[in-house]
Amino acid sequence: MSALGELLAEGRRRRVYSGAAWSVGTADGPLDRGWTGTRSWGGEGLDGGAAEGSVPGDATPGGATVGDGASGAAGDGDSGVACDGPSGAAGDGPSEGGDPGGPDLDGDALWDLASVTKPIVGLAVLALVEQGALALTDTVGTHRPEYRGGTSADLTVHQLLTHTSGLPGQIPLYRTHPTRADLLRALGKLPLRAAPGTRVEYSSQGFMLLGLVAEAAAGRPLDELVADAVCAPLGMTGTVFTPGAAGRARAVATERCPWRGRTVVGEVHDENAAVLGGVCGHAGLFAPLADLERLGRSLAGGARSLLHSDTFALMTAPHTDALNLRRCLAWQGQDAEGSPVGGSFGPEAYGHTGFTGTSIWLDPATGRYAVLLTNRVHPTRDGQGIEAVRHAFHDRAMALPAAPGREPKR
């Protein structure tokens, strides 16, 4: 098995998540990819079982398959991870010893991307900028008259993209504003915690507004905009907001949600997004591994099918180096200290993480992308193990040898 497969199988054994999928590669293709574990813990991890915060009993990791590892080493069947050689041939299905209460993962499993939605929406926003439908200096009030006169009216698209709007961060508006209309009204009344442009504070509320601005500028719903501007050009046919019945049937479980009183499967985990109907700028997208792999390969190659080179350079360049944290446009930059992926990626690296345990990270210096998908909030969000797993995963991702003929072009 590959080093990445071993690491992620061990994370499952330590109950950080029930399943994980990954891909590391370049614009030319993956160097290592695969999946391990199950879509849920099964039994007590789903509805009607354990009390909140409990952890299901021990189970053997099940069902992981494909790895396109450069080493070409055969997988160890006892681990639940198998890695194929450079040919990239798929595995033959579930491994022995799978958890009977949780279906084995396969390559078609659908993952709740959580905040990895943000940079995908950001790509659609930058496409609107290229088309002249939107400017980075446009304000919320320019495109959304209902917010004129409120605290968010004069916030710019650039400030929303870089989290420098001054809007507060993770506010559970759903608790006091249980309908879409109420929550949207509340967005326009949030007091700013800093003067716009003076401080980076991560704000999902800012990206909720950004999604609304994008809809107004495009003249159509956000899900259609993202589908046409990002998903269609890259062939990301499995990436959707609000999955239908077929998508929900292959979705990976997230939290046993106290607010909803059940385990969330195939619907957005983020509660604010749920009140908004699942289509919004800060969260809500679901995708299979193959689609995030397509996105990673495109970004590693300069996103030429999505944006002009100068627009892409602007999007991925740091915009907040004079402030407290490094932010690009919709992307997190590589901070010298405190990066969620550790210190192995270079100073010009960028990416994004998601609360459910997802991430995509790019290193322009090496031309390498790293995608990690987990359900670390299943059955509860209380565990802290994902941070160590992410750091170790990205360390090993950067240590992978380049495939012959895939050395980065300088």
Side-chain angles (χ1 to χ4, degrees), residues 148-356:
R148 293 173 189 166
T151 56
S152 61
D154 295 329
L155 302 179
T156 68
V157 171
H158 183 273
Q159 290 163 351
L160 297 176
L161 284 166
T162 56
H163 296 275
T164 58
S165 67
L167 284 168
Q170 309 305 94
I171 306 298
L173 292 172
Y174 69 94
R175 292 179 180 169
T176 51
H177 305 280
T179 69
R180 175 180 170 86
D182 286 346
L183 196 152
L184 290 179
R185 280 193 291 270
L187 276 179
K189 300 176 182 178
L190 289 172
L192 303 185
R193 285 215 273 244
T198 65
R199 179 176 176 79
V200 176
E201 180 174 355
Y202 182 76
S203 176
S204 286
Q205 282 65 33
F207 264 74
M208 293 177 204
L209 287 170
L210 183 66
L212 297 172
V213 168
E215 287 187 326
R220 54 186 172 148
L222 184 64
D223 53 351
E224 293 182 11
L225 173 63
V226 169
D228 290 345
V230 183
C231 298
L234 299 184
M236 294 169 59
T237 57
T239 300
V240 294
F241 291 95
T242 61
R248 294 194 299 272
R250 54 190 177 87
V252 178
T254 56
E255 188 174 23
R256 189 170 189 270
C257 176
W259 176 60
R260 282 170 271 208
R262 53 187 165 78
T263 299
V264 178
V265 184
E267 62 179 295
V268 63
H269 172 262
D270 182 277
E271 295 93 342
N272 287 328
V275 170
L276 292 175
V279 181
C280 33
H282 73 293
L285 278 174
F286 288 75
L289 173 65
D291 278 8
L292 267 291
E293 192 172 66
R294 290 181 179 98
L295 178 62
R297 291 180 64 179
S298 174
L299 296 168
R304 288 187 289 270
S305 61
L306 300 179
L307 298 172
H308 297 147
S309 59
D310 56 346
T311 306
F312 183 65
L314 178 68
M315 184 183 193
T316 57
H319 286 249
T320 63
D321 278 359
L323 303 179
N324 53 309
L325 293 169
R326 174 172 277 198
R327 282 283 170 180
C328 311
L329 298 181
W331 296 102
Q332 181 171 356
Q334 185 76 10
D335 288 302
E337 296 182 4
S339 170
V341 300
S344 296
F345 277 53
E348 301 308 313
Y350 63 91
H352 216 288
T353 59
F355 188 73
T356 51

Side-chain angles (χ1 to χ4, degrees), residues 12-15 41 44 55-61 99-100:
R12 185 184 193 273
R13 284 191 287 270
R14 291 191 289 109
R15 299 296 184 273
W41 285 116
E44 293 180 345
V55 177
D58 195 18
T60 303
D99 180 349

Side-chain angles (χ1 to χ4, degrees), residues 332-351 353 359 361-363 370 372 386-398:
Q332 181 171 356
Q334 185 76 10
D335 288 302
E337 296 182 4
S339 170
V341 300
S344 296
F345 277 53
E348 301 308 313
Y350 63 91
T353 59
S359 63
W361 219 262
L362 285 296
D363 183 45
L372 176 61
I386 190 63
E387 181 178 350
V389 171
R390 273 194 182 128
H391 285 201
F393 171 80
H394 287 87
D395 287 348
R396 296 189 187 190
M398 287 302 286

